[in-house]
């Protein structure tokens, strides 16, 4: 505050140097390799759709997606090993993209989560074969009207929407840039790059297509709405600082930059623009993380989207969006933290409580998990608010722990099926533990982790987040967080009770035997949940080393 | 040498792991593995003992710190062992008698198809018991304490197909929980008072604590000792524990585990020395149990239960001696060791008799067995002479020292305690003579068993008789060996401390009085069971006999006071829980549910409503941000 007011008196000098020659852009390709690999693979994927025969497309696409994600992850590891997460952290691509600890950690998390998510995309053994062709979770032909003859013909011909793989790769590419974006324009472009494919992915469910399309339209409308807020906020911030660059805006906020762009003399340094712009950008990001009151799309979209997409979205979007939120608050607006902290406090509290409370009366597994993700967004916000290295560390750890558990949980949801596809109504899960003890036990592990029971990753994550928040002086927030956890524990454990201590129904669902793909996803989810719960120290240290933003 | 200490425990522990995890493929060799590993432990014990003798008396304590078990700031527990003369005594007793009983069990359990598992449990017991006596802090001791409790539970209930065995195991477990609670509370009190629970620092800092606190710690330790050593009021489980296989009764419920309470009190001598009130309670408990066990032992017709009563009574002697303070510690341990020999021998003898008599335990259906089982008769007879304190045998020396020490307590107390111990000696002579006469003398009173098989008593196999013979040697000579030249006193004194008491009567008088009581006891028993034929069906008996048969109504007392009382307490708690606690909890849950149902309605499915919510949220966010600045 004081620096700001003192800064105003200094803004008297006009910019005297005219714009010089435009420098030739320098792009550090090697440091951007993770993103470039994924984008490249996505483009190749489009070509595959165009040129590879329909029969072999599935295999080529799965292989391509997997190879791209794996090599991108290898590139991330290579960069981290090369010191780009710590000593060599810097800003690449002409100030557009940061290569630093948080960016690499989040990119690694997104890539690994995407690998297991893509495995569930590729699953083709859950539904019975239609006309001798194995089918996955996606519509035979997304463009045909549900229930129409064209749809039937497509099913009969054994079509499948293999476009989902390049779409997912595009989304992943956007997500990789999102937390690394170092100027507002890149941030916006990354947001759109990962949002648009997600809207499409939501619309292509094989079963209950109308619901899927409804979800996609809602997601698109509300997403566009929130993008508008974000864009408006970007405009206001530009008006305030005269630059899109995070570093420059931060300097203007701090008062270290005192020159005023003559073209913006009327608005630059106007705090109302800063505050409104900051709030509007926050709105856009809070929409993506699903914080109350911007969460209302989550249950509808989570329920309607094909379940593999839901898992992917719930995990990877959240990681990317929280990454961007962290960078915005820690790099751009730290000088403003006395302004945004109380507001974010309120958002975190409302998010935790509303997510937990509304989940109590849910009757659909996917909606339940959606509200649970809202509550988790609130817990993570508590760590964000800490504004300390521990806060960043705890959020990074929480995101890693949460994303694998979430993808695993949604993968289990895809297994429980009846004649109409996935049986997501909770009443159908009664007595599942009697019929399929292993499946129910695995789901119980995920639920216990979400509830934050010790020896699971959820406990470690919650503990880290809450202790960071408490050290940051947010004691009240921690108390409310623990109370919400208690409410949340109720509905998680209610599902466990339902699965293990209720009589199975006569016409209950069956548990499909998945291919090794989904099994791997679930096994990785369980393994991460238990390892991060039993021996979290290595990963906490890793997140701790990765907790410094470059500016 | 100190590096060998952990091996003492590791050998039987390895045996337990191998035997319990090894599966059926070890069924044919398992008993040998178990016995061998127990013997290895004994061998290491002997080596350590020889090494210890080679060093001067004040340089005999070895310590080994394996690793820090619980490394929390301000709460350090080490996996550390301490081997001093007291621990050494126990190590030799546990591993020595343990090995003999392993050997014995090879024969005794020959026809049991779960023999491998039995040896696994025995090894587990030996390991846990060694951990108990080798621990250098109370927390590790507690670990061993629970370990022997577990082994005891598993072995009492070993024949789990018998409901009585399962019930007995459960009873032993539950009663022991009460005592274990005492030990854990004692450890917590120590930690709050001294900030540590390692032996050295705690005993060194006793002077800094208030006497009230020390009394509390002492009483809690005593509670623990009562549970493990079957002392009044936690005595009720020992008689039922005889449901376990006889080698178990010999090893765990006679020679070793039940003496853990004595070890605990002697080990914590520094605490008790500074808490005279606690010591007084210890002495009272010992005295009461001494008579209680002896009286129960007089009336039982089941040979093992009679011996169990005797065990209780003998441990009463030890607890009493331990409660006397430095004048009694050494004698408590000395009696413990000699008792280990003769009581284990007696139990093995009883097992041998049962082995020959189709597992019959009712002594009224024995008689005249001396001709059929000469080795058992002789070894059992020597054990018998030792326990009643026949001059020159083990029990004579060790018990005599306790009686003298009791008199030496001084004042009225001394007279009362001396009187009780003397009376106890007389009753011991009575009930042991009764056992002897009913079993080996008189006429055959054998009955066919439930399947109609006539018993054909025969001598047991070598694997059973050899351990009995070795133990008989111990019963005969151990006391004299310890006493001549005060060897045992010199050995143990550096650890436990010793004070020579001054009895108001001379040692000769005490010995003479003991002899009179002994003769009286033997004489009365002869009059009742030797001269007259013994009826196969027990006569109704006097009120005292009937009471003693029912263990002096211990179970009835427990039922009325504890079970009924507990039921009433839980019922009232359940009422409070239902009406008050649940009311609050359910009320909260209902309000959360109601709120949830209302909030859910906001989620109406219309994108326009969602957009309004977002718009409103953004407006509030901006307003709040601006407001923050304005304030």
């Amino acid at each position: 505050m004081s620096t700001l007011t003192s800064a105003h008196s200094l803004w008297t000098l006009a910019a005297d140097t005219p714009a010089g020659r435009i420098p030739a852009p320098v792009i550090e390709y090697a440091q951007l390799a993770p993103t470039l690999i994924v984008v490249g693979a996505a483009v190749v994927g489009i070509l595959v759709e165009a040129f590879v025969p329909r029969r072999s497309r599935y295999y080529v696409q799965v292989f391509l997606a997997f190879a791209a994600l794996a090599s991108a992850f290898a590139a991330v590891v290579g960069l981290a090993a090369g010191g780009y997460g710590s000593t060599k952290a810097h800003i690449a691509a002409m100030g557009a993209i940061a290569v630093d600890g948080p960016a690499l950690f989040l990119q690694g998390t997104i890539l690994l989560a995407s690998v297991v998510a893509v495995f569930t995309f590729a699953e083709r053994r859950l539904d019975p074969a239609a006309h001798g062709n194995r089918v996955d979770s996606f519509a035979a032909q997304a463009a045909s009207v549900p229930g129409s003859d064209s749809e039937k013909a497509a099913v009969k011909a054994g079509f499948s929407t293999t476009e989902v793989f390049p779409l997912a790769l595009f989304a992943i590419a956007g997500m990789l840039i999102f937390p690394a974006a170092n100027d507002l324009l890149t941030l916006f472009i990354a947001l759109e790059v990962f949002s648009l494919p997600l809207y499409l992915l939501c619309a292509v469910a094989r079963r209950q297509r109308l619901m899927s399309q409804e979800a996609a339209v809602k997601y698109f409308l509300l997403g566009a709405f929130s993008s508008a807020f974000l864009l408006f906020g970007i405009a206001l911030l530009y008006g305030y600082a005269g630059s899109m660059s995070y570093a420059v805006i931060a300097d203007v906020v701090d008062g270290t930059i005192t020159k005023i762009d003559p073209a913006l003399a009327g608005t630059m340094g106007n705090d109302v623009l800063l505050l409104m712009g900051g709030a509007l950008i926050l709105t856009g990001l809070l929409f993506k993380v699903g914080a109350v009151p911007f969460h209302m799309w989550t249950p509808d979209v989570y329920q309607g989207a094909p379940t593999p997409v839901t898992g992917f979205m719930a995990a990877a979007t959240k990681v990317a969006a929280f990454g961007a939120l962290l960078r915005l608050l820690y790099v751009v607006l730290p000088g403003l933290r006395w302004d945004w902290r109380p507001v974010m406090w309120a958002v975190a509290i409302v998010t935790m409580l509303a997510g937990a409370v509304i989940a109590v009366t849910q009757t659909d597994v996917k909606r339940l998990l959606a509200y649970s993700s809202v509550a988790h967004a609130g817990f993570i916000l508590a760590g964000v608010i800490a504004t300390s290295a521990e806060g960043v560390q705890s959020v990074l750890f929480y995101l890693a722990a949460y994303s694998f558990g979430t993808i695993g949980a949604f993968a289990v949801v895809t297994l429980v099926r009846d004649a109409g596809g996935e049986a997501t109504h909770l009443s159908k899960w009664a007595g599942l533990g009697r019929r399929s003890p292993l499946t129910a036990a695995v789901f119980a592990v995920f639920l216990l982790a979400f509830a934050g029971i010790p020896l699971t990753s959820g406990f470690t994550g919650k503990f880290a987040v809450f202790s960071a928040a408490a050290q940051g002086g947010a004691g009240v927030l921690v108390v409310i967080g623990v109370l919400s956890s208690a409410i949340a524990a109720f509905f998680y454990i209610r599902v466990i009770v339902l699965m293990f201590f209720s009589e199975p129904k006569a016409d209950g669902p069956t548990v499909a035997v998945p291919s090794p793909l989904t099994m791997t996803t679930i096994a990785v989810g369980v393994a991460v949940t238990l390892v991060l719960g039993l021996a979290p120290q290595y990963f906490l240290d890793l997140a701790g080393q990765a907790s410094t933003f470059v500016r | 040498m100190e590096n060998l200490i952990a091996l003492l425990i590791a050998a039987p522990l390895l045996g337990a792991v191998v035997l319990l995890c090894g599966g059926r493929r070890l069924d044919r060799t398992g008993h040998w593995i178990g016995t061998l590993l127990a013997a290895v432990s004994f061998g290491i014990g002997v080596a350590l003992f020889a090494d210890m003798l080679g060093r001067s008396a004040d340089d005999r304590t070895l310590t080994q710190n394996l690793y820090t078990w619980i490394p929390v700031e301000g709460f350090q527990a080490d996996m550390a062992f301490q081997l001093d003369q007291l621990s050494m005594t126990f190590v030799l007793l546990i591993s020595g008698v343990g090995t003999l009983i392993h050997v014995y069990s090879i024969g005794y359990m020959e026809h049991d198809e779960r023999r491998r598992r039995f040896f696994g449990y025995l090894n587990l017991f030996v390991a846990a018991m060694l951990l108990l006596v080798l621990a250098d802090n109370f927390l590790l001791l507690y670990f061993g304490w629970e370990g022997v409790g577990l082994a005891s539970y598993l072995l009492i209930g070993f024949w789990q197909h018998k409901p009585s065995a399962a019930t007995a195991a459960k009873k032993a477990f539950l009663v022991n929980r009460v005592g274990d609670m005492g030990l854990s509370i004692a450890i917590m009190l120590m930690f709050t008072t001294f900030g540590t629970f390692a032996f050295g620092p705690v005993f060194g800092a006793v002077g800094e604590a208030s006497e009230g606190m020390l009394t509390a710690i002492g009483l809690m330790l005593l509670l623990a000792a009562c549970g493990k050593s079957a002392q009044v009021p936690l005595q009720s489980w020992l008689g039922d524990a005889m449901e376990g296989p006889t080698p178990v009764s010999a090893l765990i419920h006679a020679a070793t585990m039940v003496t853990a309470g004595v070890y605990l009190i002697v080990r914590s001598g520094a605490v008790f020395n500074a808490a005279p009130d606690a010591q007084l309670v210890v002495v009272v408990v010992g005295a009461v149990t001494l008579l209680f066990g002896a009286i129960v032992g007089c009336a039982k017709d089941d040979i093992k239960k009679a011996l169990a009563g005797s065990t209780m009574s003998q441990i009463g002697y030890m607890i009493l001696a331990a409660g006397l303070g430095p004048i009694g510690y050494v004698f408590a341990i000395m009696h413990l060791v000699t008792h280990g020999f003769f009581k284990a021998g007696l139990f093995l003898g009883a097992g041998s008799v049962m082995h020959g008599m189709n597992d019959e335990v009712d002594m009224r259906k024995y008689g005249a067995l001396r001709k059929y089982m000469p080795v058992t008769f002789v070894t059992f007879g020597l054990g018998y002479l030792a326990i009643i304190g026949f001059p020159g045998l083990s029990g004579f020396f060790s018990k005599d020292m306790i009686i003298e020490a009791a008199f030496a307590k001084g004042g009225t107390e001394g007279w009362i305690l001396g009187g009780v111990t003397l009376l106890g000696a007389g009753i011991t002579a009575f009930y042991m003579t009764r056992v002897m006469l009913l079993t080996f003398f008189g006429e055959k009173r054998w009955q066919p068993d439930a399947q109609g098989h006539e018993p054909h008593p025969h001598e047991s196999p070598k694997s059973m008789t050899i351990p009995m013979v070795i133990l008989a040697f111990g019963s005969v000579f151990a006391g004299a060996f310890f006493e001549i030249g005060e060897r045992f006193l010199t050995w143990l004194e550096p650890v436990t401390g010793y004070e020579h008491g001054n009895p108001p009567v001379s040692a000769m008088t005490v010995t003479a009085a003991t002899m009179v009581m002994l003769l009286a006891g033997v004489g009365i028993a002869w009059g009742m069971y030797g001269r007259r034929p013994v009826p196969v069906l027990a006569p109704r008996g006097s009120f005292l006999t009937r009471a003693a048969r029912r263990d002096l109504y211990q179970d009835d007392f427990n039922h009325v006071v504890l079970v009924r009382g507990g039921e009433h307490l839980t019922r009232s708690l359940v009422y409070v829980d239902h009406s008050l606690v649940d009311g609050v909890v359910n009320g909260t849950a209902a309000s959360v549910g109601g709120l949830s149902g209302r909030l859910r309605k906001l989620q109406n499915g219309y994108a326009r409503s969602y957009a309004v919510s977002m718009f409103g949220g953004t407006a509030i966010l901006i307003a709040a941000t601006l407001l923050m600045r304005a304030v």
Side-chain angles (χ1 to χ4, degrees), chain A residues 218 271 293 296 300 339 357 361, chain B residues 596 600 603 605 610 613 629:
Chain A
K218 276 183 192 163
D271 272 7
M296 295 186 108
D300 291 15
D339 294 292
V357 167
T361 44
Chain B
S596 176
R600 216 180 138 187
Q603 189 80 24
Y610 299 175
S613 141
R629 178 55 67 87

Side-chain angles (χ1 to χ4, degrees), chain A residues 458-478:
Chain A
F459 174 76
T460 326
K462 273 209 181 93
F463 187 82
V465 164
F466 286 153
S467 62
Q471 279 169 20
V476 180
L477 200 61
V478 172

Side-chain angles (χ1 to χ4, degrees), chain A residues 216-229:
Chain A
V217 171
K218 276 183 192 163
Y219 191 18
F220 171 67
L221 286 174
L222 296 171
F225 197 43
S226 83
S227 291
F229 283 125

